Amino acid sequence: MSNAKLELNGQTYEFPVVVGTEGEVGIDVAKLRVSSKAIALDPGYGNTGSCKSAITFINGEEGVLHYRGYPIGQLAEKLSFEEVAYMLVWGELPSQSELDDFKAKLDEHAALPASVLALIKTFPEQAHPMAMAQAAVAALEPASHHVAPADDADAHIISIIAKFKSLAAAIYRHQKNEPAVASETDLSYAGDFLQLMYGRDGGNYEIDEAIEEAINALLILHADHEQNCSASTVRMVGSSQASIYASISAGIGALWGPLHGGANQRVLEMLQAIHEDGADYQKYVDMSKDKESGFRLMGFGHRVYKNHDPRATILKKSTDRVLAKLDKKDPLLDIAKKLEQVALSDDFFIKRKLFPNVDFYSGIIYRALGIPTNMFTVMFALGRLPGWIAQWKELRDDPKARIYRPRQIYTGETKRDVTTIAER
Ligand code: ACO
């Protein structure tokens, strides 16, 4: 492909074109400022590629999502979260012996240090679980480990994946003023997470296979999503060579917001509010179309997907299965289905390509499983962890990686002299 040309102030500048393996085209403007003195201005980064990456491919126009080439539907249907996590972080699906070794290490490192359990307990029980998760991950950093590790990155990666399920469950139990229980070996990641959440010390918690499968699929569906807000935050922080703990902790903060992972909590709160308001969903659809109202239908729309969110399509089916299995009739699900129908047939939503995203259905499943609403975003973080780690590792392993440092167009006052208080 020929170079891209830019004309500015009568001069022509040429920039190389980069083509990805799926045919995505980028204009490499790395030399733009050096050659032309201008910068590329792209608030919200909607047109800006911050890196080349071999982890996740999304075609938003066609609703395609692949992790390392594997379609998301196949991954969620056929594999365990452990296999997907391994493949995201280290590039290939594990052999049986690699998987056995990985699982054994996850078991070995699952226990939280007493200091981290004590830290969680310092939070008020009503504190938001994402605040606890952010602090607890930062506190996992060993005292001797202040910068990005060189040789022992894999050990830290395994430790953080192993401990995050214990950490999420310990936070959940702290909210209920219950002590944490120990991780059990010979369980899947999803199964151990369930017993860490709902089990009693000394055992005999019975894991329902259908629920374990649903959690496994949910974790896989959330495991990566290329350069979104939290992954970019992880990379941004990691680019300063801050440790994996500092980087993941920052990613949790980014995920927390309602325009990102926090939307799953907001979806449920919205459905609850509509339910309490007499289930008048049309009123809320209308309100979301009125810009003055400042209200948006949570769980609708996506920056990248402009056809459908493939994760939402899979989750919709899974939601029906889980609710049937648990024999749960949920009035909020009825409202969700009606909202979906109305929104999908409304011109406002069709024109703007707004349809349910992954957060729209995940909340309904979490609710059916008895997970409290304010834990939903922690569930998202649990799934997203391997993706963040893969993004962090890819950046760290890139010898050409530079610190992330965007520029700006300054629009403030031009130079002026300071006055003393008496002169003002
Ligand atoms: N309800 C009503 N209108 C909406 C919604 C919504 N949920 N989302 C977007 N719009 C409208 C906007 O008002 C805008 O209309 P306009 O063109 O007339 O001004 C248009 O659609 C485009 O919206 P933007 O905000 O420009 O889209 P952007 O790509 O910046 O935002 C986002 C994407 C943040 C996901 C947005 O759709 C949103 O706020 N959705 C609700 C929150 C949510 O569900 N977030 C989860 C995202 S998925 C995830 O993180 C896992």
Side-chain angles (χ1 to χ4, degrees), residues 77 175 214 252 339 365:
E77 195 189 311
Q175 288 186 300
I252 294 171
L339 261 189
I365 300 194

PDB file of all heavy atoms in Angstrom, residues 77 175 214 252 339 365:
ATOM      1  N   GLU A  77     -17.468 -21.756  24.556  1.00  0.00           N
ATOM      2  CA  GLU A  77     -18.197 -23.020  24.552  1.00  0.00           C
ATOM      3  C   GLU A  77     -17.292 -24.208  24.926  1.00  0.00           C
ATOM      4  O   GLU A  77     -17.717 -25.129  25.612  1.00  0.00           O
ATOM      5  CB  GLU A  77     -18.765 -23.235  23.142  1.00  0.00           C
ATOM      6  CG  GLU A  77     -19.834 -24.297  23.078  1.00  0.00           C
ATOM      7  CD  GLU A  77     -20.174 -24.605  21.634  1.00  0.00           C
ATOM      8  OE1 GLU A  77     -20.409 -23.661  20.867  1.00  0.00           O
ATOM      9  OE2 GLU A  77     -20.195 -25.810  21.291  1.00  0.00           O
ATOM     10  N   GLN A 175     -18.040  -7.950  53.086  1.00  0.00           N
ATOM     11  CA  GLN A 175     -19.288  -7.173  53.041  1.00  0.00           C
ATOM     12  C   GLN A 175     -20.359  -7.808  53.929  1.00  0.00           C
ATOM     13  O   GLN A 175     -21.245  -7.141  54.428  1.00  0.00           O
ATOM     14  CB  GLN A 175     -19.846  -7.143  51.614  1.00  0.00           C
ATOM     15  CG  GLN A 175     -19.078  -6.285  50.667  1.00  0.00           C
ATOM     16  CD  GLN A 175     -19.811  -6.228  49.334  1.00  0.00           C
ATOM     17  OE1 GLN A 175     -20.026  -7.243  48.686  1.00  0.00           O
ATOM     18  NE2 GLN A 175     -20.221  -5.053  48.938  1.00  0.00           N
ATOM     19  N   ALA A 214     -21.516 -21.537  33.757  1.00  0.00           N
ATOM     20  CA  ALA A 214     -21.918 -20.155  33.431  1.00  0.00           C
ATOM     21  C   ALA A 214     -20.840 -19.173  33.873  1.00  0.00           C
ATOM     22  O   ALA A 214     -20.486 -18.247  33.133  1.00  0.00           O
ATOM     23  CB  ALA A 214     -23.247 -19.823  34.108  1.00  0.00           C
ATOM     24  N   ILE A 252      -8.129  -1.539  37.396  1.00  0.00           N
ATOM     25  CA  ILE A 252      -9.369  -1.764  38.152  1.00  0.00           C
ATOM     26  C   ILE A 252     -10.091  -0.426  38.351  1.00  0.00           C
ATOM     27  O   ILE A 252     -11.311  -0.337  38.213  1.00  0.00           O
ATOM     28  CB  ILE A 252      -9.051  -2.432  39.517  1.00  0.00           C
ATOM     29  CG1 ILE A 252      -8.498  -3.842  39.285  1.00  0.00           C
ATOM     30  CG2 ILE A 252     -10.294  -2.483  40.407  1.00  0.00           C
ATOM     31  CD1 ILE A 252      -7.945  -4.512  40.542  1.00  0.00           C
ATOM     32  N   LEU A 339     -37.229  -3.736  27.225  1.00  0.00           N
ATOM     33  CA  LEU A 339     -36.367  -2.588  26.898  1.00  0.00           C
ATOM     34  C   LEU A 339     -35.600  -2.865  25.613  1.00  0.00           C
ATOM     35  O   LEU A 339     -35.487  -2.015  24.735  1.00  0.00           O
ATOM     36  CB  LEU A 339     -35.321  -2.405  28.000  1.00  0.00           C
ATOM     37  CG  LEU A 339     -35.532  -1.374  29.076  1.00  0.00           C
ATOM     38  CD1 LEU A 339     -34.259  -1.243  29.900  1.00  0.00           C
ATOM     39  CD2 LEU A 339     -35.914  -0.021  28.509  1.00  0.00           C
ATOM     40  N   ILE A 365     -27.454 -12.458  35.001  1.00  0.00           N
ATOM     41  CA  ILE A 365     -26.941 -13.762  35.442  1.00  0.00           C
ATOM     42  C   ILE A 365     -26.346 -13.634  36.846  1.00  0.00           C
ATOM     43  O   ILE A 365     -26.633 -14.450  37.727  1.00  0.00           O
ATOM     44  CB  ILE A 365     -25.852 -14.312  34.494  1.00  0.00           C
ATOM     45  CG1 ILE A 365     -26.414 -14.498  33.103  1.00  0.00           C
ATOM     46  CG2 ILE A 365     -25.277 -15.614  35.028  1.00  0.00           C
ATOM     47  CD1 ILE A 365     -25.557 -15.339  32.185  1.00  0.00           C
TER      48      ILE A 365
END
